[in-house]
Amino acid sequence: MPLLPAGRRHRVAFILNGVAVEADCEPRALLSDVLRHSLAATGTHVGCEHGVCGACTVQIDGVPARACLTLAVQVEGAALRTVEGLGTPDRLSILQQCFREEHGLQCGFCTPGILMSLDALLRENPSPSEQDLKENLSGHLCRCTGYAPILRAARRAAERLKDAEHA
Amino acid sequence: MKPAAFDYLRAATQEEALEALARAGGEARILAGGQSLLPMLNMRLARPRVLVDIMRIPGLDGVAVEKGSLRIGAAARQAALLARPGLAAEQPLLAEAMPWIGHAQTRSRGTLCGSIAHADPSAELPLLLLALEGEVALRSRRRARRVAAQDFFTGLMSTAREEDEMIEAIHIPLAHPGEGHAFAEIGRRHGDFAIIACAARVREGAVRLAVGGVADRPVARAMPGLDSPELDAALEALGWELEARDDLHASAAYRRAMLRRLGRAVIARAAAEVR
């Protein structure tokens, strides 16, 4: 029965974008803060810190989840994926490339979370309906784009991912 | 917007979790999916001394049919139930309403029992448990007991759970043959808490309407049938009885008006299913 006392330093180990990592934190540390402050993975953004805005969405064992509603100690042993795991500036993922082509972002604050949600959705459901996409995006606030370019980017990515699979 | 300090206990067995609850004397909280508790911790609306994480207890996430009911374990996640093959046949109201709970990004971790324990008056799951006449299975070191949904929700985020008890499961009766169901909700956007939500069941002319988001807890009442001239007056009376409140999202008058419309609409849809 591991009891981690308040105010002490505890080691948490998990997989981040395919790499085994460790971080020291208090029990009260949010996953979002440990990613950013301890592991310098600042691609995950922090907006509202109560699960509403979606900016901090990451994938925990393959499914999208709010890093601000997750304690770092809860992900001991889990496999995490953040926006840093999608692509690199000179080698964007198909989804990221489609966001660029369709102007699916302006300020970019909400983008990492949206990318992690859509990446998981398109893996699970390669042919999402308009309704599927809108319901998925309802978990994210974007105050720049009005969402229409994001939907176009998602549709384009779905098509291109299917082409890539057939090729 | 960061939690205050707490001890974190990763329970390996349910006995360990119950022991911790008994020892903490009301200063412990169960941590399951965390999708209701973490916002409360972040905003420091809750400051427990100990968090007891139950998600690594083997077998606690089970979902099974047991004596005519779906038994949903404390660690069963909302996304797992939604993905259950056959849910629409076992309990169509649950299958219809569950996509309204939060977002895909919160259903992935949020549990059903956690939402029941949190007892937000606008949340869908307490409303559904009440509409379907479900039960909450509670366990402490002292005893195990089952409480009907009707008696479980006692006020705003308040329940009949004692401080040393944890919800170990909820029981939701399977659909009765020949029964019609419907659910509807109004919110600012899909996935937000309900301004008002209604669930109706109709069987052999008997109508049960459950309403969330209006009173300090979900409320269910028998209602006159769709063809009865009494229905409008009964819906109007229910709106006043529930002491609909004004808040940032909607006025009390709007909530009463939407109760009349949404209440009638779900009763009509449920009745149409059995015709």
Side-chain angles (χ1 to χ4, degrees), chain B:
Chain B
M1 295 299 287
K2 312 286 180 192
F6 49 76
D7 294 343
Y8 169 88
L9 173 71
R10 191 177 290 135
T13 64
Q14 195 177 353
E15 288 68 35
E16 275 181 11
L18 296 178
E19 172 74 33
L21 285 180
R23 230 176 350 181
E27 291 192 69
R29 293 290 290 270
I30 295 283
L31 173 64
Q35 302 302 290
S36 301
L37 184 55
L38 262 291
M40 300 283 285
L41 294 176
N42 286 357
M43 292 188 264
R44 302 205 178 188
L45 296 171
R47 299 181 71 138
R49 197 166 53 75
V50 188
L51 279 197
V52 183
D53 186 344
I54 58 168
M55 296 306 276
R56 311 223 178 187
I57 298 175
L60 209 58
D61 62 348
V63 177
V65 175
E66 197 182 285
K67 293 181 190 155
S69 288
L70 263 180
R71 183 191 186 277
I72 298 164
R77 301 196 196 267
Q78 294 155 13
L81 188 73
L82 255 175
R84 178 180 169 87
L87 180 68
E90 288 167 339
Q91 189 34 265
L93 183 59
L94 207 51
E96 180 184 349
M98 282 202 59
W100 289 87
I101 300 166
H103 305 285
Q105 298 88 350
T106 60
R107 291 193 298 268
S108 58
R109 290 186 71 76
T111 62
L112 287 103
C113 291
S115 174
I116 297 297
H118 184 60
D120 188 295
S122 298
E124 291 83 3
L125 281 164
L127 170 70
L128 292 167
L129 190 72
L130 182 69
L132 292 165
E133 297 173 88
E135 289 186 343
V136 180
L138 295 160
R139 186 178 290 275
S140 66
R141 269 187 3 182
R142 294 174 294 134
R143 62 175 174 177
R145 62 182 179 129
R146 275 164 76 154
V147 180
Q150 187 69 49
D151 304 319
F152 186 72
F153 302 108
T154 54
L156 186 76
M157 294 179 180
S158 304
T159 70
R161 186 184 68 83
E162 302 275 350
E163 285 176 344
D164 64 343
E165 288 178 317
M166 67 172 272
I167 298 180
E168 65 175 353
I170 52 173
H171 296 257
I172 296 181
L174 298 178
H176 301 281
E179 184 172 84
H181 306 82
F183 175 85
E185 174 173 321
I186 296 173
R188 291 296 297 264
R189 58 176 183 155
H190 186 95
D192 278 359
F193 278 109
I195 291 171
I196 175 172
C198 291
R201 292 164 59 201
V202 174
R203 181 165 57 144
E204 291 166 6
V207 176
R208 182 178 171 87
L209 177 70
V211 181
V214 180
D216 64 351
R217 73 197 85 171
V219 172
R221 290 280 184 279
M223 280 283 134
L226 190 62
D227 304 325
S228 163
E230 313 287 318
L231 179 58
D232 283 331
L235 288 167
E236 172 74 0
L238 183 58
W240 286 100
E241 183 203 326
L242 297 184
E243 297 178 7
R245 62 192 190 283
D246 291 310
D247 65 17
L248 185 66
H249 305 294
S251 67
Y254 178 78
R255 285 193 161 89
R256 285 192 297 273
M258 289 307 105
L259 173 53
R260 291 197 301 272
R261 294 227 183 159
L262 222 54
R264 180 174 270 282
V266 290
I267 292 171
R269 260 173 48 216
E273 269 187 23
V274 290
R275 284 215 173 107

Side-chain angles (χ1 to χ4, degrees), chain A residues 21 37 96 125 164:
Chain A
V21 295
H37 303 163
Q96 286 171 315
N125 177 4

Side-chain angles (χ1 to χ4, degrees), chain A residues 1-7 26-30 32-33 37 46 48-53 57 60 63-66 68-71 73-78 117 131 135-141 147, chain B residues 1-12 16-17 19-20 23 31-36 38-39 41-44 49-51 53 55-56 99 102-109 189-192:
Chain A
M1 160 162 70
L3 171 70
L4 312 185
E26 291 180 64
R28 72 189 187 106
L30 301 175
S32 43
D33 289 336
H37 303 163
V46 173
C48 71
E49 287 192 322
H50 60 285
V52 174
C53 78
T57 303
I60 303 176
V63 291
R66 306 287 201 226
C68 78
L69 297 189
T70 307
L71 300 171
V73 291
Q74 285 178 284
V75 301
E76 172 73 36
S117 274
Q131 187 62 24
E135 277 196 29
N136 195 271
L137 286 171
S138 79
H140 295 274
L141 290 179
Y147 298 95
Chain B
M1 295 299 287
K2 312 286 180 192
F6 49 76
D7 294 343
Y8 169 88
L9 173 71
R10 191 177 290 135
E16 275 181 11
E19 172 74 33
R23 230 176 350 181
L31 173 64
Q35 302 302 290
S36 301
L38 262 291
L41 294 176
N42 286 357
M43 292 188 264
R44 302 205 178 188
R49 197 166 53 75
V50 188
L51 279 197
D53 186 344
M55 296 306 276
R56 311 223 178 187
H103 305 285
Q105 298 88 350
T106 60
R107 291 193 298 268
S108 58
R109 290 186 71 76
R189 58 176 183 155
H190 186 95
D192 278 359

